[in-house]
């Protein structure tokens, strides 16, 4: 059985970036595990570890550096 290494991450995003960030998560086949709507939106996502660097880079680009990825596992 072949196991793919997964990585769980968290991001906090302003509401106005929510739709764009959700689209980006889907582009990288992220599995959203939890969303919390408070002052900002907190999203917990599981990715295949090999795509995480590219996702993080594109997230920084699309949000003008406002959002960073926090590794959770």
């Amino acid at each position: 059985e072949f196991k793919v290494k997964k990585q769980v991450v968290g991001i906090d995003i302003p509401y106005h970036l929510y739709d764009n960030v959700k689209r980006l998560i889907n582009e990288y086949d992220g599995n959203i595990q939890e969303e919390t709507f408070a002052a900002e939106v907190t999203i917990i996502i599981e990715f295949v570890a090999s795509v995480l660097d590219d996702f993080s880079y594109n997230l920084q680009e699309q949000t003008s550096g406002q959002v960073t990825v926090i590794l959770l596992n």
Side-chain angles (χ1 to χ4, degrees):
E1 178 181 324
F2 182 70
K3 292 250 182 197
V4 175
K5 185 171 173 14
K6 303 282 182 123
Q7 177 68 54
V8 177
V9 300
I11 57 175
D12 293 319
I13 58 172
Y15 279 90
H16 72 278
L17 295 174
Y18 179 75
D19 289 334
N20 288 339
V21 171
K22 286 271 293 213
R23 223 177 343 269
L24 187 64
I25 291 167
N26 288 332
E27 283 178 30
Y28 285 92
D29 296 322
N31 177 25
I32 294 175
Q33 297 184 333
E34 184 180 329
E35 291 180 306
T36 305
F37 297 87
E40 291 189 314
V41 183
T42 300
I43 307 176
I44 307 299
I45 317 144
E46 182 182 62
F47 286 103
V48 173
S50 62
V51 305
L52 194 55
D53 284 344
D54 286 342
F55 171 78
S56 296
Y57 174 80
N58 282 298
L59 181 66
Q60 287 283 306
E61 289 291 306
Q62 286 194 16
T63 65
S64 301
Q66 295 180 64
V67 180
T68 55
V69 172
I70 300 164
L71 301 179
L72 299 177
N73 71 343

